[in-house]
Amino acid sequence: MEYSRRHVLSGIGGTALAATLAARPARAQGDVFTPEMFGAKGDGVTNDNAAFERLSQAVNAAGGGTIQLRRAVYIVGAQRRGRDANENAFVPHGILAFRRCNRPLQILGSGAVLRAAPGLRYGTFDRNTGAATNNPMPFLDGKQIAIPYWAMIDIAESSGGILIADIELDGNMRALRIGGPYGDTGRQIPGNGILLVNNRGDEIVRNVRSHHQPLDGMMIDGLDSVSAARGVTRRIENFRAEYNGRQGVSLIGGRGYVFANCKFNHTGRGGVASAPGAGVDIEAENGKVNRDYRFENCEFIDNFGCGMVADSGDSEGASFTGCTFVGTSAWSLWPHKPRFRFDKCRIVGSMVRAHGDSDPERATQFHDCTFLDDPAASPTGKVYTGEGGGKPIADLSDSKNVLFNRCIFRLTHQAVLPWSWFALYRDCTMSQRSPAESHPKGKYFGVNRVTGNAEFYGAKVPGTLIHNGKTFTKADFGGTAW
């Protein structure tokens, strides 16, 4: 990520944090705020951003409150040209932006849509002419970047508890003015649906769709200490992140978040695509850690990059239960961090870089999971099985003690069984139709059944391995790998 948390925290601007005379009548009405109280039309045509800024000022002055929207389309987002070389080329106004609220903060959408105004700039531009620029990459001169908004809903350093419910956040990506790339690759520039930073109270997001955002559907940079997570609810439920530019969700710091019945699909398919391009990216930054996330009955489907990637930063501990991963043009999974667990998941397309460890409890584990390469299981009819196709469904290389427990590998098309040296297989059923030779080496415990062209040199069988009808019990296939 190419912009710091410090920049995120300053994005709202000083005026959005100040109390104004216009805010006082609103507070007198029981701390229930509506955009219409501040002049919003909600007609899907008028740009209501100024009204939302005034609303935010009033809520900040009150230290919290309830924001009640109606079932309407609100056009939001506004930019001004940077005043001098100390500012970005085009600077955003805040939309719903809140800081240090010490009372409960609720955003009740009632089915409302916040839609980004057409014509907002995103990318690099000449501040004088307004024309898009195109610079050799990597490019890190912030004087040329244009930010349409930091986030449609932007909440930081609040302690009173947060609820965001029943709202659609439409980044309107195809109506943006797209400038040149910025960062190491793509456009690493703010433009999020929801941004949650260092909030100390509850954080609940429910029934929200965030789509076609130029950067992320949601970004969480939460407090990560054990004490900060104690007694606090951090739950994201029925959140749909679709067609966003870089990630469905970026997790760059925090502990104990639960994601239930969420969809992190089609990242990079909406007109802007920036790496990593994942459904979910678990990547601790700025000295933060990621710990102990739970994903329950979630989807990670048809993303430009991996369905889920965890590869850099201090991240550890994530469980995925009843989830579906479908890689159509990239890996379905890249779980290269300790203590990741997958239970009863459906994994379509090849995975790579599972975390190996001399301590089996820290290595990646799969329990009761099903691995497929069937195009019928993909919404696009395409399944990624490595560059050129026909590669292992799991490329584990020398990852130690990665566990497959009661898993099913049903490979009916191009993919072959896992490439592994030190994996642990217990009571698995594995089959491939491809005539290519596979190499699912490791240790086989319990009873395992393998059908297809598989080579086991170096494998150890403390239990039973039945390969193409031939039974091996307490066998040693030679080699010195173990």
Side-chain angles (χ1 to χ4, degrees):
M1 187 157 324
E2 299 297 339
Y3 60 96
S4 72
R5 188 160 48 89
R6 180 179 66 255
H7 292 152
V8 170
L9 290 174
S10 65
I12 182 175
T15 57
L17 295 177
T20 63
L21 292 174
R24 293 176 182 169
R27 186 172 182 184
Q29 298 178 30
D31 290 345
V32 175
F33 304 85
T34 72
E36 286 74 17
M37 292 167 60
F38 301 92
K41 301 296 183 184
D43 58 12
V45 178
T46 305
N47 191 322
D48 289 322
N49 204 83
F52 276 79
E53 285 189 281
R54 290 190 290 269
L55 183 154
S56 296
Q57 292 167 10
V59 172
N60 278 300
T66 296
I67 299 165
Q68 182 68 65
L69 307 181
R70 60 187 175 86
R71 193 176 184 87
V73 176
Y74 298 93
I75 303 299
V76 294
Q79 293 170 306
R80 63 172 176 81
R81 200 179 299 266
R83 297 187 183 96
D84 54 46
N86 294 319
E87 290 191 318
N88 303 133
F90 289 87
V91 179
H93 290 249
I95 302 176
L96 287 173
F98 308 103
R99 297 291 181 270
R100 296 178 285 280
C101 291
N102 56 13
R103 300 170 58 241
L105 173 64
Q106 298 186 94
I107 301 174
L108 306 181
S110 305
V113 178
L114 301 190
R115 179 170 296 149
L120 294 174
R121 287 176 169 84
Y122 183 72
T124 60
F125 292 83
D126 184 292
R127 74 172 62 240
N128 296 314
T129 68
T133 59
N134 193 7
N135 302 282
M137 299 293 283
F139 181 73
L140 299 173
D141 181 0
K143 298 173 185 176
Q144 292 189 29
I145 66 172
I147 302 170
Y149 44 85
W150 290 87
M152 289 186 162
I153 298 176
D154 179 0
I155 308 174
E157 298 183 337
S158 294
S159 58
I162 296 161
L163 170 64
I164 304 170
D166 305 310
I167 191 169
E168 178 181 339
L169 306 174
D170 178 2
N172 203 12
M173 189 186 295
R174 294 191 182 279
L176 298 180
R177 293 183 61 179
I178 304 299
Y182 176 83
D184 53 351
T185 180
R187 292 168 180 81
Q188 307 289 335
I189 298 170
N192 303 292
I194 296 176
L195 179 60
L196 302 174
V197 178
N198 290 345
N199 297 302
R200 295 183 295 283
D202 293 347
E203 292 174 314
I204 299 172
V205 178
R206 185 167 55 229
N207 301 329
V208 174
R209 183 182 181 216
S210 182
H211 63 98
H212 292 91
Q213 305 295 338
L215 196 69
D216 298 342
M218 177 188 293
M219 182 186 294
I220 296 176
D221 185 2
L223 295 172
D224 56 11
S225 69
V226 174
S227 60
R230 190 175 295 122
V232 176
T233 298
R234 290 169 175 164
R235 185 174 179 86
I236 317 299
E237 186 174 286
N238 295 324
F239 179 70
R240 293 172 57 191
E242 301 169 314
Y243 299 99
N244 299 297
R246 187 183 66 171
Q247 248 87 256
V249 171
S250 286
L251 299 173
I252 64 175
R255 184 185 293 265
Y257 285 84
V258 178
F259 296 82
N261 304 310
C262 297
K263 300 185 182 210
F264 312 105
N265 301 338
H266 313 301
T267 300
R269 310 295 193 195
V272 171
S274 300
V280 170
D281 181 22
I282 302 176
E283 179 180 350
E285 296 185 352
N286 305 316
K288 291 289 195 75
V289 304
N290 285 320
R291 292 291 187 272
D292 304 325
Y293 294 114
R294 285 165 42 201
F295 295 84
E296 302 167 352
N297 301 312
C298 295
E299 292 182 359
F300 308 73
I301 295 175
D302 183 37
N303 294 289
F304 168 73
C306 300
M308 188 284 298
V309 61
D311 190 71
S312 61
D314 186 355
S315 300
E316 182 174 331
S319 66
F320 301 80
T321 303
C323 295
T324 299
F325 303 84
V326 181
T328 58
S329 61
W331 307 103
S332 57
L333 277 173
W334 187 305
H336 194 47
K337 287 295 175 182
R339 296 196 306 113
F340 274 50
R341 304 289 184 265
F342 299 83
D343 292 274
K344 299 180 177 63
C345 292
R346 180 180 172 93
I347 299 164
V348 182
S350 293
M351 58 159 282
V352 71
R353 300 282 284 169
H355 178 75
D357 203 290
S358 57
D359 180 354
E361 288 301 310
R362 289 173 57 82
T364 306
Q365 296 184 7
F366 297 89
H367 300 269
D368 300 295
C369 293
T370 300
F371 295 80
L372 305 170
D373 67 343
D374 186 358
S378 165
T380 67
K382 296 180 180 179
V383 174
Y384 183 78
T385 56
E387 292 298 322
K391 303 297 193 301
I393 194 69
D395 188 346
L396 305 175
S397 185
D398 59 354
S399 296
K400 293 182 177 180
N401 293 318
V402 174
L403 172 64
F404 298 93
N405 180 42
R406 299 186 304 272
C407 292
I408 296 172
F409 294 82
R410 188 182 303 120
L411 308 181
T412 57
H413 289 72
Q414 291 188 347
V416 300
L417 295 173
W419 168 268
S420 61
W421 277 101
F422 303 108
L424 308 179
Y425 298 96
R426 179 181 291 121
D427 297 321
C428 292
T429 301
M430 309 165 69
S431 64
Q432 71 173 60
R433 181 175 295 176
S434 170
E437 185 176 76
S438 61
H439 305 271
K441 303 170 186 183
K443 286 186 178 178
Y444 285 82
F445 300 89
V447 179
N448 298 270
R449 293 174 171 82
V450 179
T451 303
N453 185 7
E455 185 267 319
F456 292 97
Y457 177 75
K460 312 299 180 186
V461 186
T464 299
L465 171 63
I466 303 170
H467 178 220
N468 293 336
K470 185 175 181 179
T471 300
F472 303 87
T473 299
K474 299 190 184 306
D476 187 334
F477 284 83
T480 58
W482 290 90

